[in-house]
Amino acid sequence: MKILKFPLARITVWFVLGVLAAFYFEPIPLLSLISCGVAALLFGAAYYFSKKDFIQKAYFGYATYLVFFCIGITTHAVHNEKNSKNHYVNTIDGRNHFVEVVLLEKLRSNPYSHRYIAKVTAIDSALAEGKILLHIKKENLPEDFQIGSRLLISGTLYEPKEPGNPHQFDYKKYLAFKSIYGQLYSDVSTLQISSETEKNVWYYAARFRDNIIQNLKNSGFRNEELNVAITLILGQQQDISPELLKDYQFAGAVHILSVSGLHVGCLMLFIGFLLSPLPKNGTGSILKLAIVLAFLWAFALIANFSPSVTRSVVMFSFVAIGKYAHRKTNIYHTLLVSVFIILLFEPSFIFDVGFQLSYCALFFIVWLQPLFSSLWKPKYKAVNYFWDILTVSFAAQIGTFPLSLYYFHQFPGLFFITNLLILPLLGIIMVLGVFVMLWASFSTVPSFLIKCLEWSLYILNKTINRIASFESFVFQDVSFNWQMLLSCYLLLFAIILWFKKPNFQKLSFSLVGLILFQLAYLGNKFASKSQEELIVFNAKKNTIIAQKKGTELTVFSHQKVSDQTMDFILKPYLVGSFSHIAATEKIGNLMYFKQNKILLIDGHGISPKGQRPDIIILSQSPKINLERTIQNAKPKMVIADASNYRTDMERWKATCIKEKIPFHSTVEKGFYSLSE
């Protein structure tokens, strides 16, 4: 690949590797700075000894890679807020504190509470810092708080919990990627609202958004279409309905709800069109560039600098600089520079799924779409327009296909039909939407403009809904792990390189990629088939125990497994373990797994006499004397699942400590797995 021959590409790769190394190994900041200083000295020495050579020696390249690898490590260490001695993580001790916070961002609410990202400023009147996830009960709360509001809350700081069941979404890790390491729960009775408001750029951006939204509501914009318009133009997804979001996912159009390159490109073209009357001399070009850049970065601010928006704005800023400076820009260089600059200021973006999908889609569009486009050259412009949409869509979907399977375990089969139908309409919606939003920032919008945008969005939503209704074309619950992800991308790159310039060496590389992908898949299937495991799941109000033999799972439960239990507990395990449910049975009091006898004591408190179980499972809060039961049965382990009352589990835990028997609470420690 020619792109790997660019020095900037290699530098960026080593910088990213440094960021990843710092995240997983967490070196102390001092060690990071020392390593960076040593690398800089080695780089300086390598430059001094090689500057007289016409052809650079290899050691100069290695020194360059090393210094950027260390810069990546140092960048992550500097941005890691936990390294600060005033960070609130040092105060997570289970006790009540007075926590002063400033609201930074409004998140999607759940049925019970409003959720915000907040900045901690003080704890018990002592200086503190760090971002936190704040939950405020909706009860007796007349309206949302404004961004910038300063609140004093009496409550306990909690660390986000790790997933309670195998292969579930790891919300703790997700928050850590956003530099959020704690949660705080509150209601109206435990908080005080300060008369002071922190009026920073986030405050004014939120007020600007709220003013636009209020003017649109006053103009008579229908609620469902308004929420989509706010999502498309302003990047605010908090109020879009879960049903509509699911339709966009099934139709393969969820990418248009994340403000990205498509939206920023339309904005740049629209602003450029408005500025076309300006003179085309040097002064006019500088003025156009300044206005375009100001609009792009103001838009990024209004959209809260989400990873996809930031990526797009940085990239199109370089495009604008090249355009108005009358310089030809290399799209690969633009991509690499935008990656490097964004991660230099916000290294945690590398872990954002949207950021990864955006860059993969854009890279494959630039790299692969010309190959698709060359397969057929339509004679008519209209046909060529739709052919370009189709080839761009296929290139983007091929690039994001492995990541989509890895993160979401599903893939929309009708994505190409979706893009053919909605992309022409989306261009109209974006231009009209930007115009309406600009008008709404000053006053109410004329009804004819509102109706035009409203009907366009209505048609868009109905089209998406219709395509999403063909659920049989959505491939769901696909088992796909990181080994298959890496081998799949290796296979894709090998095949594309071979198609671009066929030769025996590239064909061999493609066959090796195919073999590695097959080995990754078959290896996981073989590992799954040879695995035997018994799992006590962490399920509220129900006892779920499963026994896995190979790829078959037998589920034992007191009552019928609900759809919610299936979706959030069993499906993730089935997908992650390459298995399927073979049978569902009612739980008995005795179970056997290999050489282990397992006794289950439920709410009836029935315990067969004379049994000497290896493991006792307590469910449905049985009324038993656990101390006497342990003395009679002499088990090796006691397990309590999430169907028990918390007070009972605390009492049982104390009893097990007294009797020196290991105690496992699924509420406290998550699921229990027995595989030996």
Side-chain angles (χ1 to χ4, degrees), residues 318-330 334:
F318 283 106
V319 171
I321 291 170
K323 178 181 178 182
Y324 292 108
H326 305 292
R327 297 286 183 90
K328 187 177 180 180
T329 57
N330 184 305
T334 304

Side-chain angles (χ1 to χ4, degrees), residues 117-224:
I117 293 176
K119 176 179 66 175
V120 177
T121 57
I123 296 178
D124 297 330
S125 301
L127 186 67
E129 60 184 89
K131 289 190 293 186
I132 198 166
L133 184 62
L134 176 62
H135 304 257
I136 303 177
K137 284 185 181 178
K138 290 182 177 179
E139 225 172 64
N140 302 321
L141 192 64
E143 58 183 13
D144 293 350
F145 291 106
Q146 282 189 341
I147 299 303
S149 297
R150 191 180 294 273
L151 308 177
L152 180 63
I153 300 169
S154 174
T156 304
L157 296 166
Y158 295 97
E159 245 186 290
K161 284 187 176 181
E162 294 182 351
N165 291 296
H167 303 292
Q168 274 187 330
F169 175 66
D170 193 339
Y171 194 55
K172 180 179 181 179
K173 185 183 289 186
Y174 170 79
L175 291 176
F177 289 158
K178 296 180 177 294
S179 301
I180 300 171
Y181 305 100
Q183 298 185 88
L184 183 61
Y185 294 84
S186 176
D187 55 35
V188 177
S189 63
T190 60
L191 64 82
Q192 300 174 29
I193 307 171
S194 172
S195 57
E196 296 180 7
T197 301
E198 188 171 298
K199 296 184 177 180
N200 51 24
V201 291
W202 308 108
Y203 167 80
Y204 289 108
R207 290 294 300 271
F208 184 70
R209 283 196 306 270
D210 292 342
N211 180 56
I212 290 174
I213 294 169
Q214 191 58 51
N215 282 335
L216 290 174
K217 288 180 178 178
N218 294 339
S219 303
F221 217 126
R222 281 204 305 258
N223 195 48
E224 186 173 20

Side-chain angles (χ1 to χ4, degrees), residues 444-565:
T444 55
V445 184
S447 59
F448 76 92
L449 286 175
I450 291 293
K451 290 301 177 186
C452 287
L453 183 56
E454 202 175 68
W455 272 100
S456 300
L457 291 168
Y458 176 80
I459 294 169
L460 175 67
N461 289 342
K462 286 299 178 184
T463 304
I464 293 294
N465 177 261
R466 182 59 180 162
I467 297 172
S469 65
F470 297 97
E471 293 191 19
S472 57
F473 289 93
V474 181
F475 305 102
Q476 301 182 68
D477 305 325
V478 180
S479 297
F480 204 83
N481 58 15
W482 67 268
Q483 296 99 328
M484 294 175 67
L485 172 71
L486 295 180
S487 58
C488 186
Y489 268 118
L490 178 64
L491 176 60
L492 277 179
F493 276 93
I495 291 174
I496 293 168
L497 287 172
W498 179 65
F499 268 109
K500 279 181 171 286
K501 195 173 181 181
N503 58 41
F504 179 76
Q505 185 180 6
K506 291 177 181 177
L507 177 61
S508 302
F509 185 40
S510 301
L511 292 174
V512 169
L514 179 60
I515 292 170
L516 288 175
F517 180 72
Q518 289 176 326
L519 287 175
Y521 175 74
L522 294 174
N524 282 294
K525 289 288 287 185
F526 177 78
S528 180
K529 284 184 177 180
S530 61
Q531 184 186 26
E532 290 189 33
E533 184 178 25
L534 184 132
I535 313 104
V536 180
F537 288 100
N538 181 43
K540 290 182 179 179
K541 300 180 181 180
N542 195 4
T543 297
I544 305 289
I545 301 174
Q547 188 170 348
K548 182 178 184 292
K549 289 187 177 180
T551 59
E552 295 185 346
L553 195 75
T554 303
V555 179
F556 301 92
S557 176
H558 276 304
Q559 51 191 294
K560 184 181 177 182
V561 176
S562 65
D563 291 339
Q564 186 177 15
T565 299

Side-chain angles (χ1 to χ4, degrees), residues 286-579:
I286 293 173
L287 184 59
K288 287 179 184 178
L289 177 61
I291 294 173
V292 167
L293 291 179
F295 265 96
L296 290 180
W297 285 100
F299 178 71
L301 174 62
I302 293 168
N304 271 341
F305 285 104
S306 69
S308 57
V309 173
T310 305
R311 185 268 303 169
S312 303
V313 169
V314 170
M315 190 183 66
F316 277 100
S317 294
F318 283 106
V319 171
I321 291 170
K323 178 181 178 182
Y324 292 108
H326 305 292
R327 297 286 183 90
K328 187 177 180 180
T329 57
N330 184 305
I331 188 62
Y332 291 114
H333 285 166
T334 304
L335 278 172
L336 292 166
V337 170
S338 64
V339 170
F340 184 79
I341 290 177
I342 291 170
L343 296 182
L344 193 63
F345 287 95
E346 195 57 67
S348 63
F349 275 8
I350 190 65
F351 304 105
D352 186 88
V353 178
F355 184 86
Q356 295 172 16
L357 289 171
S358 293
Y359 269 104
C360 277
L362 194 55
F363 173 76
F364 273 82
I365 288 171
V366 172
W367 187 46
L368 186 56
Q369 192 271 341
L371 178 62
F372 286 154
S373 184
S374 65
L375 297 176
W376 181 42
K377 298 290 184 182
K379 296 180 180 179
Y380 304 102
K381 287 186 177 180
V383 178
N384 189 63
Y385 173 74
F386 285 101
W387 173 242
D388 283 343
I389 290 176
L390 193 61
T391 55
V392 167
S393 176
F394 266 103
Q397 290 294 341
I398 287 173
T400 58
F401 170 73
L403 277 176
S404 298
L405 290 182
Y406 177 70
Y407 284 116
F408 310 117
H409 301 287
Q410 68 177 33
F411 188 77
L414 297 179
F415 68 89
F416 57 96
I417 294 177
T418 301
N419 287 321
L420 279 174
L421 294 177
I422 69 170
L423 285 182
L425 179 61
L426 189 61
I428 298 171
I429 290 173
M430 287 301 301
V431 172
L432 184 58
V434 169
F435 185 70
V436 167
M437 295 293 171
L438 288 174
W439 194 308
S441 63
F442 299 103
S443 64
T444 55
V445 184
S447 59
F448 76 92
L449 286 175
I450 291 293
K451 290 301 177 186
C452 287
L453 183 56
E454 202 175 68
W455 272 100
S456 300
L457 291 168
Y458 176 80
I459 294 169
L460 175 67
N461 289 342
K462 286 299 178 184
T463 304
I464 293 294
N465 177 261
R466 182 59 180 162
I467 297 172
S469 65
F470 297 97
E471 293 191 19
S472 57
F473 289 93
V474 181
F475 305 102
Q476 301 182 68
D477 305 325
V478 180
S479 297
F480 204 83
N481 58 15
W482 67 268
Q483 296 99 328
M484 294 175 67
L485 172 71
L486 295 180
S487 58
C488 186
Y489 268 118
L490 178 64
L491 176 60
L492 277 179
F493 276 93
I495 291 174
I496 293 168
L497 287 172
W498 179 65
F499 268 109
K500 279 181 171 286
K501 195 173 181 181
N503 58 41
F504 179 76
Q505 185 180 6
K506 291 177 181 177
L507 177 61
S508 302
F509 185 40
S510 301
L511 292 174
V512 169
L514 179 60
I515 292 170
L516 288 175
F517 180 72
Q518 289 176 326
L519 287 175
Y521 175 74
L522 294 174
N524 282 294
K525 289 288 287 185
F526 177 78
S528 180
K529 284 184 177 180
S530 61
Q531 184 186 26
E532 290 189 33
E533 184 178 25
L534 184 132
I535 313 104
V536 180
F537 288 100
N538 181 43
K540 290 182 179 179
K541 300 180 181 180
N542 195 4
T543 297
I544 305 289
I545 301 174
Q547 188 170 348
K548 182 178 184 292
K549 289 187 177 180
T551 59
E552 295 185 346
L553 195 75
T554 303
V555 179
F556 301 92
S557 176
H558 276 304
Q559 51 191 294
K560 184 181 177 182
V561 176
S562 65
D563 291 339
Q564 186 177 15
T565 299
M566 177 59 73
D567 290 339
F568 293 101
I569 295 179
L570 292 178
K571 269 190 181 179
Y573 179 77
L574 295 173
V575 172
S577 62
F578 292 78
S579 55

